[in-house]
Every structure is written in structure tokens, then in C-alpha cells.
């Protein structure tokens, strides 16, 4: 192999990403289709290029061409938004089969692209977003050739796949909540600012509750949750903002507790002031 520059590419198995987000939504919110993947936050890790691989559904038996095109147009719109991102390139295959649906050509294209870029010396590192054991031979081959491979994976990823990589990175809600979207335009959950004050009364809050070892107050306004907290009556108050513009208060609280394990979700709707 030729010598490589210090450059890293990200390769995303779109099917795995969509399945990962669906699993998160089902486990946390009881609705697998509550949110969709939001790719822009995934591109900010210093990667020189990002390659996204996915598939469009095949034409059903006896389906007219017009009906088929109308059915898959939302998929093409979604892929076009991803392709429009800087440094991002989309490669598409096709989903075949009626009962046991399979992606045709996607995994092979991804593997070929990773191997080609490695052997051409384009990269010294690669991050692969995947969870399927089918990628084990690919990772082992790249690692044996001196490429540093990071596996970015969902919790349910294949154990052998994780063992084959040089390093691993877990994709879960706490670390990657900004990779979910409800409207395709912005992250469904985002950490906001933080600050402090002598008392949350400056925010017009009078509902003060004690949960465990802390006192709390909070507000829910315009899709932003602000939670005030202090450890004892003599201490100062501090707050954090959490944006969830497309969520209900109950869902925002569930998401908040996964990032800040303060245990306020169960009682929050009773004392948080909704405006």
C-alpha cells in the first residue's frame, strides 16, 4: 500500500442508522417511528469525507410506475437532503424481496469503497457506522493492512464486529440525541445554555419541589425545558436549558432524564410551569 495522509473518512450504513433510531424511539418513547435519523450532526467529527449508503424500495408486483414513483419520492427527497450536505456523498442500492426484504448492492458498494480508499492511500483512518456481522471480514482486512478502523455502532451490534475494530464508539440516545429529527430540518433534542441565580423566581417560578437531595423548579415554554436545581437551602440555584421543539412535555422530560439522570420525569409534569 502507498503511504497515507492523516485523513479520516466516515462510512454510514443507512439501513443500520435507521434501525438504530427506530430501536431508540421504540425503547424510550414506545413509538418506533417517532423520529427519523438526522445526519448533519454526524458529519462534524473532523471527517474529510462522509459516504452514506442506503436503498430505495423496489417496485411491488402489479404496482404502476406512477404509484411506485409517488411512493418512493419521500425517500429520494430524504437522500437529496443528505447529498446536499458538505463533503457528503450518497450511494443507493435497492430493496428486493417481499417478505424477507434485503438491500441489494449496498453492503458490497460500501466495502469496495472502503477498500479502494484504503489501498489508494487516501485515508489513514476510517469510521464505519454499522452493526452487522457481514462487515467483520472487511474490518479485519483493513486493520491487517494498517488502517485504524473505528466502529460506530448501536448497542445491539454484533460482538465479533466490535472485536474486529481498533476502537469502538457507541451510538445511543445520551450521546447522540441530536441525531434524531421530527421534521427533517433540525435536531429533535438539543442541549441549550446554562446559568445560575439566587432564585428561579426571576423566571417567575414559584413551584419549588424537593426530590431526593435537591430542590427543583422548572418551566416549559416554546419547546424549551428549563430546569432549576440546588443542593441545599443555603446554596445557589443553577439551571440548564433543553430544547425539544416537536415533543410533548412528557417526552421532553423522558429525554432530559436520559441525558441528566436527575430523576425528574416521573413528577415533572406536576411542578413544571407550562406557558
Amino acid at each position: 500500500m502507498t503511504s497515507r495522509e492523516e485523513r479520516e473518512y466516515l462510512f454510514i450504513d443507512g439501513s443500520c442508522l435507521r434501525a438504530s433510531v427506530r430501536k431508540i424511539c421504540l425503547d424510550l418513547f414506545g413509538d418506533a417511528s417517532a423520529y427519523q435519523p438526522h445526519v448533519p450532526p454526524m458529519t462534524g467529527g473532523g471527517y474529510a469525507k462522509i459516504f452514506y449508503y442506503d436503498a430505495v424500495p423496489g417496485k411491488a408486483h402489479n404496482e404502476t410506475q406512477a404509484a411506485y414513483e409517488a411512493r418512493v419520492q419521500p425517500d429520494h427527497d430524504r437522500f437529496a437532503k443528505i447529498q446536499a450536505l458538505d463533503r457528503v456523498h450518497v450511494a443507493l442500492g435497492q430493496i428486493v424481496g417481499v417478505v424477507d426484504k434485503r438491500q441489494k448492492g449496498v453492503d458490497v458498494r460500501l466495502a469496495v469503497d472502503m477498500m479502494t480508499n484504503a489501498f489508494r492511500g487516501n485515508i489513514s483512518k476510517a469510521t464505519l457506522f454499522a452493526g452487522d456481522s457481514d462487515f467483520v471480514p472487511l474490518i479485519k482486512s483493513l486493520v491487517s493492512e494498517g488502517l485504524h478502523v473505528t466502529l460506530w455502532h448501536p448497542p445491539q451490534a454484533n460482538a465479533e464486529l466490535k472485536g474486529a475494530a481498533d476502537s469502538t464508539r457507541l451510538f445511543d440516545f445520551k450521546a447522540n440525541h441530536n441525531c434524531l429529527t421530527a421534521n427533517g430540518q433540525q435536531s429533535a433534542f438539543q442541549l441549550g445554555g446554562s446559568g445560575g441565580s439566587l432564585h428561579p423566581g426571576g423566571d417567575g417560578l414559584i413551584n419549588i419541589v424537593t426530590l431526593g437531595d435537591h430542590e427543583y423548579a422548572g418551566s416549559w415554554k416554546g419547546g424549551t425545558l428549563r430546569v432549576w436545581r440546588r443542593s441545599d437551602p443555603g446554596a445557589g440555584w443553577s439551571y440548564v436549558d433543553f430544547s425539544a421543539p416537536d415533543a410533548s412535555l412528557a417526552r421532553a422530560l423522558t429525554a432530559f432524564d436520559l441525558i441528566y439522570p436527575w430523576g425528574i420525569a416521573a413528577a415533572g409534569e406536576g411542578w413544571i410551569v407550562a406557558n
Side-chain angles (χ1 to χ4, degrees):
M1 295 177 69
T2 59
S3 61
R4 306 183 186 92
E5 297 181 27
E6 284 295 317
R7 184 183 297 139
E8 183 173 5
Y9 290 174
L10 169 63
F11 300 83
I12 301 173
D13 177 354
S15 175
C16 179
L17 176 60
R18 287 185 285 106
S20 300
V21 169
R22 287 181 62 84
K23 183 70 164 56
I24 287 173
C25 291
L26 181 62
D27 290 347
L28 303 187
F29 309 121
D31 180 2
S33 60
Y35 299 100
Q36 302 300 316
H38 192 45
V39 175
M42 302 179 71
T43 68
Y47 306 109
K49 293 180 184 292
I50 301 94
F51 296 88
Y52 180 91
Y53 302 82
D54 214 325
V56 293
K59 187 176 178 182
H61 182 63
N62 292 331
E63 184 177 26
T64 66
Q65 185 63 27
Y68 170 68
E69 291 177 359
R71 179 167 62 88
V72 300
Q73 189 58 50
D75 294 290
H76 286 292
D77 292 342
R78 175 167 55 88
F79 297 140
K81 289 180 180 179
I82 297 172
Q83 178 67 71
L85 298 171
D86 289 347
R87 298 171 288 111
V88 177
H89 307 272
V90 175
L92 299 178
Q94 190 174 67
I95 298 175
V96 298
V98 177
V99 178
D100 183 19
K101 293 181 172 64
R102 305 179 310 281
Q103 289 191 157
K104 183 178 181 181
V106 177
D107 291 357
V108 172
R109 175 71 180 276
L110 190 160
V112 168
D113 286 352
M114 286 191 76
M115 294 293 291
T116 300
N117 280 288
F119 277 89
R120 285 179 177 173
N122 294 337
I123 50 178
S124 58
K125 299 179 180 180
T127 292
L128 170 64
F129 187 101
D132 197 306
S133 61
D134 288 349
F135 290 111
V136 170
L138 169 66
I139 292 181
K140 287 184 175 180
S141 294
L142 292 171
V143 168
S144 69
E145 291 295 335
L147 196 74
H148 185 283
V149 179
T150 298
L151 179 69
W152 194 359
H153 65 88
Q156 64 272 21
N158 176 267
E160 186 180 4
L161 183 71
K162 291 186 287 185
D166 291 295
S167 56
T168 60
R169 177 182 176 187
L170 179 63
F171 182 87
D172 64 2
F173 184 82
K174 183 173 183 178
N176 305 110
H177 52 272
N178 60 343
C179 294
L180 277 65
T181 182
N183 57 21
Q185 303 296 324
Q186 62 183 344
S187 296
F189 304 100
Q190 299 180 65
L191 299 180
S194 61
S197 177
L198 294 177
H199 196 277
D203 266 352
L205 302 179
I206 58 174
N207 293 344
I208 309 296
V209 299
T210 300
L211 300 173
D213 297 327
H214 295 82
E215 288 183 295
Y216 292 92
S219 64
W220 171 246
K221 182 178 180 180
T224 295
L225 179 65
R226 172 170 288 186
V227 180
W228 289 84
R229 185 172 83 150
R230 71 173 177 176
S231 57
D232 62 68
W237 286 85
S238 62
Y239 71 82
V240 295
D241 286 340
F242 182 62
S243 176
D246 300 294
S248 64
L249 173 56
R251 182 171 287 179
L253 284 166
T254 297
F256 182 92
D257 260 1
L258 289 163
I259 298 169
Y260 297 98
W262 293 356
I264 66 171
E269 290 187 86
W271 51 268
I272 288 177
V273 178
N275 299 311

